[in-house]
Amino acid sequence: MTQIKLETGILKANDDVASQLKQLFQEKGIKVINLISSPGAGKTTLLEHSIPKLINKFRVGVIEGDVLTTRDADRIAKLNIPVVQIETKGACHLDANMVMKAVKQLDLDNLDLIIIENVGNLVCPAVFELAEDAKVVVLSVAEGSDKPAKYPTVFTRAKVCILNKMDLLPYSNFSLDDFYEDLKRINPRLKVFEVSAIKDTGLESWLEWLEGMMVNGGKKN
Ligand SMILES: Nc1nc2c(ncn2[C@@H]2O[C@H](COP(=O)(O)OP(=O)(O)OP(=O)(O)O)[C@@H](O)[C@H]2O)c(=O)[nH]1
Ligand SMILES: [Mg+2]
C-alpha cells in the first residue's frame, strides 16, 4: 500500500513540473516529441537521418537522455543543431525536472521543435510525462514481434511507432502479422512507420507525420 502511495506521489510531483513545462512550450510555440525505446533500437540513428531533412523547415533542438556519457549528444552535435545531454547517473528514465534544467540551456526563442531522446528503456519512460505533444516509440525488428504485448503501456500511450531495422527482417523471426494483430488490440490508433534508419529508407511517411504535427499541433494526426 505504502509503495503505491509513494509511486503516485512521485508521478504527481512529475506532472506538476510537466505542467509548468507545457505552459513554457506553449508560450514559446514549441512542439515536443518524447522518443522512447529499449537500448539500441535506433533512436539516435533515426534522429541522425531525420533531422537533416527537417532543418530547412523547422528550427530543431535535441535533449539527449542517457545513464552515462555524452556520446549521443556528440553524434547529434555533428548536425550543427542545439543539443543538451542529460546524464541520469543511474536513473532509467528522464523526468520533468531533468528536462526543465535542460531547457534552460536552450534558446527557446529560436526553436520550433524539441526532440527528447529518452533513456533506453521500454518501461519507465512510458509513465513520466515530459510535456510532450507526442510519445514516439521505436521498436527494432531484432527485438521480436511480441514486445507490444509484453510492454503495452508505451504502445498504448504513444501516437507513433517507428518499426526500425526493417533491413534485418529477412534475418529475424519477427512476425509482422503477429505485431499488427497485437497492436489492433493494444492501440488501434497507433500509426506505424516501417523504416530502416541506417539505410535511410521509409522515412518519408514518418517525416510527413512530423510535419503534420508541427502544423496541426498533433490534434488531427
Ligand atoms: N541494421 C540496422 N542497424 C541499425 C539501424 N538503426 C540503427 N542501427 C544500429 O543499431 C545500433 C544502435 O543504434 P542507436 O541509434 O545508437 O540506438 P539508440 O536507441 O539510440 O541506443 P541508446 O541510446 O543506447 O538507447 C547501432 O549500431 C546502429 O548503427 C537500422 O535501421 N538497421
Ligand atoms: Mg541513443
Side-chain angles (χ1 to χ4, degrees):
M1 247 351 219
T2 317
Q3 202 176 354
I4 291 166
K5 270 187 198 151
L6 177 67
E7 213 172 87
T8 311
I10 290 169
L11 290 176
K12 167 81 175 62
N14 185 78
D15 283 351
D16 291 346
V17 181
S19 302
Q20 294 166 30
L21 271 173
K22 190 95 199 160
Q23 201 179 337
L24 181 62
F25 292 145
Q26 273 167 1
E27 277 166 22
K28 302 287 182 185
I30 295 173
K31 296 286 189 297
V32 179
I33 294 287
N34 182 2
L35 199 55
I36 299 173
S37 83
S38 331
K43 299 177 295 299
T44 312
T45 308
L46 180 74
L47 295 183
E48 287 172 319
H49 288 264
S50 301
I51 289 169
K53 300 177 181 75
L54 288 170
I55 50 180
N56 57 347
K57 291 186 183 145
F58 309 109
R59 297 166 299 176
V60 185
V62 170
I63 295 174
E64 280 292 344
D66 277 296
V67 173
L68 275 179
T69 83
T70 60
R71 289 183 189 194
D72 281 2
D74 295 343
R75 285 166 66 183
I76 297 299
K78 290 187 184 142
L79 304 173
N80 292 316
I81 61 158
V83 55
V84 179
Q85 178 80 51
I86 302 171
E87 284 183 277
T88 65
K89 312 279 187 198
C92 59
H93 60 272
L94 293 179
D95 64 32
N97 257 320
M98 298 175 193
V99 173
M100 183 62 95
K101 280 189 196 142
V103 296
K104 288 187 176 145
Q105 295 178 56
L106 290 169
D107 177 6
L108 298 183
D109 291 323
N110 282 305
L111 286 177
D112 305 307
L113 172 65
I114 295 177
I115 304 178
I116 303 169
E117 179 182 334
N118 218 311
V119 178
N121 183 319
L122 215 44
V123 182
C124 315
V127 295
F128 283 82
E129 295 297 320
L130 304 180
E132 67 268 18
D133 293 280
K135 288 180 180 54
V136 172
V137 59
V138 182
L139 179 70
S140 67
V141 299
E143 293 166 71
S145 37
D146 57 354
K147 292 305 166 288
K150 291 176 72 178
Y151 304 91
T153 308
V154 69
F155 291 90
T156 307
R157 298 188 177 189
K159 286 188 180 160
V160 165
C161 173
I162 304 287
L163 185 57
N164 190 31
K165 307 196 186 180
M166 284 299 285
D167 53 296
L168 298 183
L169 192 64
Y171 314 103
S172 79
N173 62 355
F174 190 96
S175 162
L176 285 172
D177 286 346
D178 292 353
F179 170 71
Y180 283 111
E181 196 56 42
D182 283 340
L183 283 185
K184 252 193 257 167
R185 183 173 45 81
I186 293 164
N187 182 359
R189 288 169 54 89
L190 186 69
K191 290 198 183 311
V192 181
F193 301 117
E194 298 177 7
V195 315
S196 169
I198 206 141
K199 303 241 181 230
D200 221 313
T201 56
L203 293 178
E204 307 76 17
S205 306
W206 143 246
L207 292 169
E208 215 171 277
W209 178 86
L210 203 49
E211 283 184 31
M213 189 214 60
M214 294 301 290
V215 175
N216 301 321
K219 291 190 187 73
K220 290 186 186 163
N221 52 10

